[in-house]
Amino acid sequence: MISTKVNSRLCTSRQVAQLGRSVAPLCQSQSSIAGYPAVLRIAAGSHQHQSFPSSRSFSTTGTTQLRDFFPASETAYIRRTPPAWPHHGWTEKEMLSVVPEHREPRGVGDWVAWKIVRICRWCTDVATGIGPEQQVDKKHPTTSVTADKPLTEAQWLVRFIFLESIAGVPGMVAGMLRHLGSLRRLKRDNGWIETLLEESYNERMHLLTFMKMCEPGWFMKTMILGAQGVFFNAMFMTYLVSPKIMHRFVGYLEEEAVHTYTRCINEIERGDLPKWSDPNFKIPELAITYWRMPEEKRTMRDLILYIRADEAVHRGVNHTLSNLNQKEDPNPFVSDYKAGEDGQRPNPALKPKGYEREEVIG
């Protein structure tokens, strides 16, 4: 159900499609709109306001004006705090080369990881309020990006926030456990820890970017809190038992992320998301700074292209790590190869199904 809160009155689920058309750049008015499905509030132009009857609201956020959810702290001496892991940036060619792919399960562990991801996908669809006509081909859920009816901007933001709030957990859990393992065993980790923590940091930057575009209500916050609690503990126990299964799970999860962002890009290009298709739509300054986006490449489509490229890297990295010896093999993505940097160093963005061990270790 969608909740649009204007003058303490709410809209019914039949106004779901209308909400997406009301999304506009940040804080342009003195009013705000609750996002679909009644869990976040998005800035909108004052001329877009309508009021509708309903029975309940899931959001306790005030409607006077969308506030900056995490404003920068002013201090006497510090000007700004740069990212801990600066982003290397993407070229247009690299971003456009990303495509949805799926690695077929090759064993019981892979099959379990894949099925759990399918359950997570179903839960996200429910949270987003996707109707049957908005579903893609269920026989090819990870590669098909066309549906009879597009999502709205508000639905996409709910999906993005929920996805990124979860996607930032596995890398932190794995990095933490490998760090502690390195301390216990008094041995090097051969480059895994840094890559996993950087992945977690990158996913958090995705979340913070979208948080600059909307404000969650208490229902969304509760969903995230519950999901994170379950997800963290599940990842913690899984990594202790079988790191391979967890990395495969993350690889499949990132397949879903690439699929999600690819479908969104297609809908923006077709004009199905009019506010985001508007070249005057302003993306958050946080994103411009983090990805070092050139001035002529700062549309919503460009932002999603950058984020999708990041997800493609995480997809290839985790599928590859799942194929390695978890205790002894070095991280192939930060290692120097005997054949030289340009001769053999793997590029995870170009290997959607991951590298097999013999391809990167020998």
Side-chain angles (χ1 to χ4, degrees):
M1 173 178 177
I2 181 172
S3 172
T4 301
K5 198 169 189 178
V6 180
N7 296 328
S8 300
R9 304 177 69 184
L10 307 171
C11 75
T12 66
S13 58
R14 288 173 293 182
Q15 276 75 46
V16 171
Q18 296 179 5
L19 178 62
R21 294 191 293 270
S22 299
V23 178
L26 286 168
C27 302
Q28 289 185 344
S29 73
Q30 296 298 314
S31 300
S32 60
I33 291 179
Y36 185 93
V39 291
L40 61 93
R41 199 171 302 284
I42 306 167
S46 58
H47 65 282
Q48 302 270 349
H49 293 319
Q50 303 179 48
S51 61
F52 306 98
S54 184
S55 58
R56 66 175 180 172
S57 171
F58 290 96
S59 176
T60 58
T61 307
T63 59
T64 56
Q65 186 176 10
L66 181 67
R67 62 190 171 91
D68 191 344
F69 206 65
F70 47 96
S73 300
E74 292 292 336
T75 64
Y77 301 113
I78 298 176
R79 181 168 60 89
R80 71 183 184 92
T81 304
W85 279 285
H87 199 281
H88 59 79
W90 295 108
T91 66
E92 185 83 2
K93 181 179 179 181
E94 289 173 328
M95 293 189 291
L96 294 177
S97 67
V98 176
V99 294
E101 281 281 0
H102 174 56
R103 178 189 173 100
E104 292 295 334
R106 303 179 187 178
V108 175
D110 286 8
W111 185 87
V112 170
W114 168 239
K115 290 302 180 182
I116 294 176
V117 168
R118 300 307 307 147
I119 294 173
C120 293
R121 166 76 175 270
W122 178 82
C123 293
T124 305
D125 289 347
V126 172
T128 311
I130 291 183
E133 70 281 4
Q134 294 177 307
Q135 296 280 1
V136 298
D137 183 3
K138 293 184 178 181
K139 294 182 179 179
H140 305 91
T142 311
T143 55
S144 176
V145 294
T146 304
D148 294 334
K149 182 180 178 181
L151 275 67
T152 65
E153 288 97 334
Q155 283 179 298
W156 277 122
L157 280 175
V158 172
R159 198 174 186 85
F160 294 160
I161 290 175
F162 198 71
L163 173 66
E164 298 297 351
S165 67
I166 297 301
V169 174
M172 180 60 66
V173 172
M176 175 189 70
L177 288 176
R178 296 192 72 93
H179 171 73
L180 295 176
S182 177
L183 297 178
R184 287 194 309 272
R185 297 183 293 120
L186 305 177
K187 294 178 61 177
R188 287 191 58 197
D189 189 63
N190 291 322
W192 289 51
I193 296 173
E194 292 84 353
T195 293
L196 294 170
L197 294 181
E198 183 177 6
E199 174 187 307
S200 181
Y201 179 88
N202 178 252
E203 298 286 10
R204 188 173 64 88
M205 292 303 295
H206 296 174
L207 175 63
L208 296 181
T209 296
F210 292 125
M211 288 298 301
K212 285 290 187 179
M213 302 171 65
C214 65
E215 183 177 343
W218 69 264
F219 184 66
M220 175 59 116
K221 293 176 182 177
T222 302
M223 289 176 60
I224 292 174
L225 179 63
Q228 186 181 97
V230 172
F231 206 61
F232 178 89
N233 287 286
M235 293 294 97
F236 183 87
M237 296 304 299
T238 301
Y239 208 83
L240 289 176
V241 175
S242 176
K244 280 181 173 289
I245 292 179
M246 178 172 159
H247 284 299
R248 186 69 71 215
F249 169 83
V250 178
Y252 285 137
L253 188 66
E254 299 298 351
E255 288 182 359
E256 294 291 341
V258 171
H259 169 269
T260 292
Y261 290 119
T262 300
R263 179 179 172 183
C264 181
I265 291 169
N266 290 345
E267 293 185 3
I268 292 175
E269 292 176 341
R270 290 199 307 265
D272 295 332
L273 306 174
K275 295 299 178 183
W276 289 353
S277 300
D278 186 351
N280 295 320
F281 183 88
K282 302 298 183 183
I283 63 173
E285 187 64 31
L286 173 74
I288 295 173
T289 302
Y290 176 64
W291 280 284
R292 295 182 249 178
M293 302 170 71
E295 189 170 353
E296 69 279 5
K297 294 293 182 180
R298 296 180 180 178
T299 65
M300 188 62 180
R301 172 183 175 272
D302 294 317
L303 173 61
I304 302 300
L305 281 172
Y306 275 92
I307 294 176
R308 185 183 67 168
D310 290 344
E311 304 293 7
V313 170
H314 304 327
R315 176 183 62 181
V317 165
N318 280 278
H319 276 320
T320 301
L321 295 181
S322 181
N323 297 332
L324 304 183
N325 182 317
Q326 304 295 303
K327 293 184 178 181
E328 300 297 335
D329 286 343
N331 178 0
F333 301 107
V334 297
S335 300
D336 292 329
Y337 280 78
K338 296 177 181 179
E341 183 173 335
D342 299 327
Q344 195 172 349
R345 175 171 287 183
N347 184 345
L350 302 179
K351 199 74 170 180
K353 300 179 182 180
Y355 290 88
E356 299 301 325
R357 185 176 185 275
E358 55 271 16
E359 294 182 276
V360 290
I361 301 298

